[in-house]
Amino acid sequence: MPVFSGKSFNNMDRRVFLKGSAASVAAFALTGGVTSCCGGKVLSVKGLSGVKEAGDFDVVICGGGPAGFIAAIAASRQGAKVALIERYGFLGGMATAGYVAPISEFAFNGELVIGGIPWEFVKRLESMGGAFVEMPKGNVDFDIEIYKLLCQRMVLEAGVSLFMHSSLIGCQMSGGKIESVIIENKNGLEAISGRVFVDATGDGDLAFLSGVPMQPNPDGELQPSSFCFVLGGVDTESDLMQRYMHHDGKKGSSQCAPVREKLLRLKEEGEVLPDFGGPWFNYMMHPGLVAVNITRAAADSTDNRNFTEAECALREDIFRFASLLKLHFPEFKNSYVSSTAPQAGIRESRRILGIHTVTAEEYVAGTKFDDRVSRGAHQIDMHASKGSGQVLIKLDQPAYVPYRAMIADNYPNLIVAGRCISADRKAHASLRVQASCMGIGQAAGVAAAQSLTEGKSVQDIDTSRLVSTLIGMGAIL
């Protein structure tokens, strides 16, 4: 049995699952009982001698993105003692680490469909001058830095314990039950124990580490990643920008057709251009600034080497497209790359194989599940992994997300939130957007707390009570 510095875990038959690196495996100074994802040679590494207990919580949430920070607030407000683990030094996930804008979509035909804590966040952000709500779609333009600030404020106001700059590298299990997660930060390797765990990592990292089966993907296709960036010096008062940097849906597609057509013509004329999508220009709340979503590359965010290579190529593409915009469009003649996102935005990676898999047919039909816990209003949006193609399927009514898609059989204390829930590729291509993830995160936090108060596994909680609680909080179900 492994013995951790500061605390011994030798009374149960337990397994420790680690991310696939020799250093991570070595860090435990094991006497046995470790399963390594890579199966590589275990090395002795100076300075990595053991794992210290960093805290014991009711609910432990991995990932501080749109699903995770909302889940943390929700669980804490339900009376749970909550830890939130985040690998960056700020919260917000794809909004703040990926510059993915706007926050899509809170409304359908002008009617709010995502309510409760997510909408409270938006209204507070708006009151701080950090958001502009565009109806009837309910897309939300935002100031990245104010978004970070408000996430932090609301999480700390709720009494959540934050573990920033901390990477999830493993978990300790007893059977199918997670006992603790292992994180790495400047303090070394630390274990955070909990009763219920929420995987809001986006990539399903905790679920993967704990052995939850994933959705099959036999052809290996994934929607591409896009490295978003901010341009300064743009003429945001121009007709072109006023038409295309807002996403209320009143004027048709927000994809900037004039720029797209020009880029396609350049390719036809022999210009060597990288693959691109859109482009989409997004209002940043300040004159002269726009967030740009144009780059794209087939990438697997769960493969370090693959994602590193893709991001390096995409960074080159950012400056190539910035130069083209400056050269060919007067609105961009004084523009410059003001900021690039900390990482490329991820549309698709792992999805768990849950008790129920949401299908595109159910999603488009607006199937109203008995255990519905969140909604979706964004059209199904499938980006081609190569080239500039995109398949869109509009919804005739808002969709529903069932709680069963957030849990897997035989994992009694794990809930998954955000884009890695159980859904087929087409349904996922809608519910992956930020407002939907926030709604799912709210449900995850409440369900985690309810599991504790009822003394039941996450599979056995009273879902009618869960739905009622969510509605009482403002969720629109």
Side-chain angles (χ1 to χ4, degrees), residues 260-306:
R260 180 179 179 84
E261 290 164 6
K262 176 64 175 179
L263 293 175
L264 290 173
R265 280 199 304 272
L266 289 172
K267 289 190 79 169
E268 289 173 1
E269 293 165 2
E271 187 95 28
V272 178
L273 292 181
D275 286 343
F276 67 90
W280 296 272
F281 301 110
N282 303 286
Y283 179 47
M284 293 296 292
M285 309 294 297
H286 299 284
L289 294 179
V290 293
V292 184
N293 181 345
I294 186 171
T295 68
R296 63 167 52 184
D300 180 357
S301 61
T302 69
D303 183 323
N304 176 269
R305 313 303 186 271
N306 177 285

Coordinates of all heavy atoms in Angstrom, one line a residue, residues 260-306:
R260 N -14.4 36.8 -45.1 CA -14.3 35.4 -45.5 C -14.2 35.3 -47.1 O -13.4 34.6 -47.6 CB -15.6 34.7 -45.0 CG -15.6 33.2 -45.4 CD -16.8 32.5 -44.9 NE -16.8 31.1 -45.3 CZ -16.2 30.1 -44.7 NH1 -15.4 30.4 -43.6 NH2 -16.2 28.9 -45.1
E261 N -15.1 36.1 -47.7 CA -15.1 36.0 -49.2 C -13.7 36.5 -49.8 O -13.2 35.9 -50.8 CB -16.2 36.8 -49.8 CG -17.6 36.2 -49.5 CD -18.7 37.2 -49.7 OE1 -18.4 38.4 -50.1 OE2 -19.9 36.8 -49.4
K262 N -13.1 37.5 -49.2 CA -11.8 38.0 -49.7 C -10.8 36.9 -49.4 O -9.9 36.7 -50.3 CB -11.5 39.3 -48.9 CG -10.1 39.8 -49.2 CD -10.0 40.3 -50.7 CE -8.7 40.9 -51.0 NZ -8.5 41.3 -52.4
L263 N -10.7 36.3 -48.3 CA -9.7 35.3 -48.0 C -9.9 34.1 -48.9 O -8.9 33.5 -49.4 CB -9.9 34.8 -46.5 CG -9.5 35.8 -45.5 CD1 -9.8 35.3 -44.1 CD2 -8.0 36.3 -45.6
L264 N -11.1 33.7 -49.2 CA -11.3 32.6 -50.2 C -10.9 32.9 -51.6 O -10.3 32.1 -52.3 CB -12.8 32.2 -50.2 CG -13.3 31.5 -48.9 CD1 -14.8 31.3 -48.9 CD2 -12.6 30.2 -48.6
R265 N -11.1 34.2 -52.0 CA -10.6 34.7 -53.3 C -9.1 34.6 -53.3 O -8.5 34.2 -54.4 CB -11.1 36.1 -53.6 CG -12.6 36.1 -54.1 CD -12.9 37.4 -54.8 NE -12.6 38.6 -53.9 CZ -13.5 39.1 -53.1 NH1 -14.7 38.6 -52.9 NH2 -13.1 40.2 -52.4
L266 N -8.5 35.1 -52.3 CA -7.0 35.0 -52.2 C -6.5 33.6 -52.4 O -5.5 33.4 -53.1 CB -6.5 35.6 -50.9 CG -6.6 37.1 -50.7 CD1 -6.3 37.5 -49.3 CD2 -5.8 37.9 -51.7
K267 N -7.1 32.6 -51.8 CA -6.7 31.2 -52.0 C -6.9 30.8 -53.4 O -6.0 30.1 -54.0 CB -7.6 30.3 -51.0 CG -7.2 30.5 -49.6 CD -7.8 29.4 -48.7 CE -7.1 28.1 -48.8 NZ -7.5 27.1 -47.8
E268 N -8.0 31.2 -54.0 CA -8.3 30.8 -55.4 C -7.2 31.4 -56.3 O -6.9 30.8 -57.3 CB -9.7 31.3 -55.8 CG -10.8 30.5 -55.2 CD -12.1 31.1 -55.5 OE1 -12.2 32.2 -56.2 OE2 -13.2 30.6 -55.0
E269 N -6.7 32.6 -55.9 CA -5.7 33.3 -56.8 C -4.3 32.8 -56.5 O -3.3 33.3 -57.1 CB -5.8 34.8 -56.5 CG -7.1 35.4 -57.0 CD -7.3 36.8 -56.4 OE1 -6.4 37.3 -55.7 OE2 -8.4 37.4 -56.7
G270 N -4.2 31.8 -55.6 CA -2.8 31.2 -55.4 C -2.1 31.5 -54.1 O -1.0 31.1 -53.9
E271 N -2.8 32.4 -53.3 CA -2.2 32.8 -52.0 C -2.2 31.5 -51.1 O -3.2 30.8 -51.0 CB -3.0 33.9 -51.4 CG -2.4 34.4 -50.1 CD -1.5 35.7 -50.4 OE1 -1.8 36.4 -51.4 OE2 -0.6 35.9 -49.6
V272 N -1.1 31.3 -50.5 CA -1.0 30.2 -49.5 C -1.5 30.6 -48.2 O -0.9 31.5 -47.5 CB 0.4 29.6 -49.4 CG1 0.5 28.5 -48.4 CG2 0.9 29.2 -50.8
L273 N -2.7 30.1 -47.8 CA -3.3 30.5 -46.5 C -3.5 29.3 -45.7 O -3.8 28.2 -46.1 CB -4.6 31.2 -46.8 CG -4.6 32.6 -47.5 CD1 -6.1 33.1 -47.6 CD2 -3.8 33.6 -46.7
P274 N -3.4 29.5 -44.4 CA -3.7 28.4 -43.5 C -5.2 28.1 -43.5 O -6.0 29.0 -44.0 CB -3.3 28.9 -42.1 CG -2.5 30.1 -42.3 CD -2.9 30.7 -43.6
D275 N -5.7 27.0 -43.0 CA -7.1 26.8 -42.8 C -7.7 27.8 -41.9 O -7.0 28.3 -41.0 CB -7.4 25.4 -42.2 CG -7.1 24.2 -43.1 OD1 -7.1 24.5 -44.4 OD2 -7.0 23.1 -42.7
F276 N -8.9 28.2 -42.1 CA -9.5 29.2 -41.2 C -11.0 28.9 -41.1 O -11.6 28.2 -41.9 CB -9.3 30.6 -41.8 CG -10.0 31.0 -43.1 CD1 -11.3 31.5 -43.1 CD2 -9.4 30.7 -44.3 CE1 -11.9 31.8 -44.2 CE2 -10.0 31.0 -45.5 CZ -11.3 31.6 -45.5
G277 N -11.6 29.5 -40.1 CA -13.0 29.4 -39.9 C -13.6 30.8 -39.7 O -12.8 31.8 -39.5
G278 N -14.9 31.0 -40.0 CA -15.5 32.3 -39.9 C -15.0 33.2 -41.0 O -15.1 32.9 -42.1
P279 N -14.4 34.4 -40.6 CA -14.0 34.8 -39.2 C -15.2 35.4 -38.4 O -16.2 35.8 -39.0 CB -12.9 35.8 -39.5 CG -13.3 36.5 -40.8 CD -13.9 35.4 -41.6
W280 N -15.0 35.4 -37.1 CA -15.9 36.0 -36.2 C -15.1 37.1 -35.4 O -14.1 36.8 -34.8 CB -16.5 35.0 -35.2 CG -17.3 34.0 -35.9 CD1 -18.7 34.0 -36.2 CD2 -16.9 32.7 -36.4 NE1 -19.1 32.9 -36.9 CE2 -18.0 32.0 -37.0 CE3 -15.7 32.0 -36.4 CZ2 -18.0 30.8 -37.5 CZ3 -15.6 30.7 -36.9 CH2 -16.7 30.1 -37.5
F281 N -15.7 38.3 -35.4 CA -15.1 39.4 -34.6 C -16.1 39.7 -33.5 O -17.3 39.7 -33.6 CB -14.9 40.6 -35.5 CG -14.0 40.4 -36.7 CD1 -14.5 40.4 -38.0 CD2 -12.7 40.2 -36.5 CE1 -13.7 40.1 -39.1 CE2 -11.8 40.0 -37.6 CZ -12.3 39.9 -38.9
N282 N -15.5 39.9 -32.3 CA -16.3 40.0 -31.1 C -16.0 41.3 -30.3 O -14.9 41.6 -30.1 CB -16.1 38.8 -30.2 CG -16.3 37.5 -31.0 OD1 -17.5 37.1 -31.2 ND2 -15.2 36.8 -31.4
Y283 N -17.1 41.9 -29.9 CA -17.0 43.2 -29.2 C -16.4 42.9 -27.8 O -16.7 42.0 -27.1 CB -18.5 43.7 -29.0 CG -18.6 45.0 -28.2 CD1 -17.8 46.1 -28.4 CD2 -19.6 45.1 -27.2 CE1 -18.0 47.2 -27.7 CE2 -19.8 46.3 -26.5 CZ -19.0 47.3 -26.8 OH -19.1 48.5 -26.1
M284 N -15.4 43.8 -27.5 CA -14.6 43.6 -26.2 C -14.9 44.7 -25.2 O -14.1 44.8 -24.2 CB -13.1 43.6 -26.6 CG -12.7 42.4 -27.4 SD -12.9 40.8 -26.5 CE -11.7 41.0 -25.2
M285 N -16.0 45.5 -25.4 CA -16.4 46.5 -24.4 C -15.5 47.7 -24.4 O -15.8 48.6 -23.6 CB -16.4 45.9 -23.0 CG -17.1 44.6 -22.8 SD -18.9 44.8 -23.1 CE -19.4 45.9 -21.8
H286 N -14.5 47.8 -25.3 CA -13.7 49.0 -25.3 C -13.4 49.4 -26.8 O -13.2 48.5 -27.6 CB -12.3 48.7 -24.6 CG -12.5 48.4 -23.2 ND1 -12.8 49.3 -22.2 CD2 -12.4 47.1 -22.6 CE1 -12.9 48.7 -21.0 NE2 -12.7 47.4 -21.2
P287 N -13.4 50.7 -27.1 CA -13.2 51.1 -28.5 C -11.8 50.6 -29.0 O -10.8 50.6 -28.3 CB -13.1 52.7 -28.3 CG -13.9 52.9 -27.1 CD -13.6 51.8 -26.2
G288 N -11.8 50.2 -30.2 CA -10.6 49.8 -30.9 C -10.2 48.3 -30.7 O -9.3 47.8 -31.4
L289 N -10.9 47.6 -29.7 CA -10.5 46.2 -29.4 C -11.6 45.3 -30.0 O -12.8 45.4 -29.7 CB -10.4 46.0 -27.9 CG -9.2 46.8 -27.2 CD1 -9.3 46.5 -25.7 CD2 -7.9 46.4 -27.8
V290 N -11.1 44.2 -30.6 CA -12.0 43.1 -31.0 C -11.3 41.8 -30.7 O -10.1 41.7 -30.9 CB -12.4 43.2 -32.5 CG1 -13.3 44.4 -32.7 CG2 -11.2 43.1 -33.4
A291 N -12.0 40.8 -30.3 CA -11.5 39.4 -30.2 C -11.8 38.8 -31.5 O -12.9 38.9 -32.1 CB -12.2 38.7 -29.0
V292 N -10.8 38.0 -32.0 CA -10.9 37.4 -33.3 C -10.8 35.9 -33.2 O -9.9 35.3 -32.5 CB -9.7 37.9 -34.2 CG1 -9.9 37.3 -35.6 CG2 -9.7 39.4 -34.2
N293 N -11.8 35.3 -33.8 CA -11.8 33.8 -33.9 C -11.7 33.5 -35.4 O -12.7 33.6 -36.1 CB -13.1 33.3 -33.3 CG -13.2 31.8 -33.4 OD1 -12.5 31.1 -34.1 ND2 -14.2 31.2 -32.6
I294 N -10.5 33.1 -35.9 CA -10.3 32.8 -37.3 C -9.5 31.6 -37.5 O -9.7 30.8 -38.5 CB -9.8 34.0 -38.0 CG1 -9.7 33.8 -39.5 CG2 -8.4 34.4 -37.5 CD1 -9.3 35.1 -40.3
T295 N -8.5 31.3 -36.6 CA -7.6 30.2 -36.9 C -8.2 28.9 -36.6 O -9.2 28.8 -35.8 CB -6.3 30.3 -35.9 OG1 -6.7 30.1 -34.6 CG2 -5.7 31.7 -36.1
R296 N -7.7 27.8 -37.2 CA -8.2 26.5 -36.8 C -7.2 25.4 -37.2 O -6.5 25.6 -38.2 CB -9.6 26.2 -37.5 CG -9.6 26.2 -39.0 CD -10.9 25.5 -39.5 NE -12.1 26.2 -38.9 CZ -13.3 25.8 -39.2 NH1 -13.5 24.7 -40.0 NH2 -14.3 26.4 -38.7
A297 N -7.1 24.4 -36.4 CA -6.3 23.3 -36.7 C -6.8 22.0 -36.0 O -7.3 22.1 -34.9 CB -4.8 23.6 -36.2
A298 N -6.7 20.9 -36.7 CA -7.0 19.6 -36.1 C -6.0 19.4 -35.0 O -4.8 19.5 -35.2 CB -6.9 18.5 -37.1
A299 N -6.6 19.2 -33.8 CA -5.7 19.0 -32.6 C -6.4 18.2 -31.6 O -7.6 18.2 -31.4 CB -5.3 20.4 -32.0
D300 N -5.6 17.5 -30.8 CA -6.1 16.7 -29.7 C -5.5 17.2 -28.4 O -4.4 17.1 -28.1 CB -5.6 15.2 -29.9 CG -6.1 14.3 -28.8 OD1 -6.8 14.8 -27.8 OD2 -5.9 13.1 -28.9
S301 N -6.4 17.9 -27.7 CA -5.9 18.6 -26.4 C -5.6 17.6 -25.3 O -5.0 18.0 -24.3 CB -7.1 19.5 -25.9 OG -8.2 18.7 -25.6
T302 N -5.9 16.3 -25.5 CA -5.5 15.3 -24.5 C -4.1 14.7 -24.8 O -3.6 13.8 -24.1 CB -6.5 14.2 -24.4 OG1 -6.5 13.4 -25.6 CG2 -7.9 14.8 -24.2
D303 N -3.5 15.1 -25.9 CA -2.2 14.6 -26.3 C -1.2 15.8 -26.3 O -1.3 16.7 -27.1 CB -2.2 14.0 -27.7 CG -0.9 13.4 -28.2 OD1 0.2 14.0 -27.9 OD2 -0.9 12.4 -28.9
N304 N -0.3 15.8 -25.3 CA 0.6 17.0 -25.1 C 1.4 17.4 -26.3 O 1.5 18.5 -26.7 CB 1.5 16.7 -23.9 CG 2.5 17.9 -23.7 OD1 3.6 17.8 -24.3 ND2 2.1 18.9 -22.9
R305 N 2.0 16.4 -27.0 CA 2.8 16.7 -28.1 C 2.0 17.2 -29.3 O 2.4 18.2 -30.0 CB 3.6 15.5 -28.6 CG 4.3 14.7 -27.5 CD 5.3 15.5 -26.6 NE 6.0 14.6 -25.7 CZ 5.5 14.3 -24.5 NH1 4.4 14.9 -24.0 NH2 6.2 13.5 -23.7
N306 N 0.9 16.6 -29.5 CA 0.0 17.0 -30.6 C -0.5 18.4 -30.4 O -0.5 19.3 -31.3 CB -1.2 16.0 -30.7 CG -2.2 16.4 -31.8 OD1 -3.0 17.3 -31.6 ND2 -2.2 15.7 -32.9

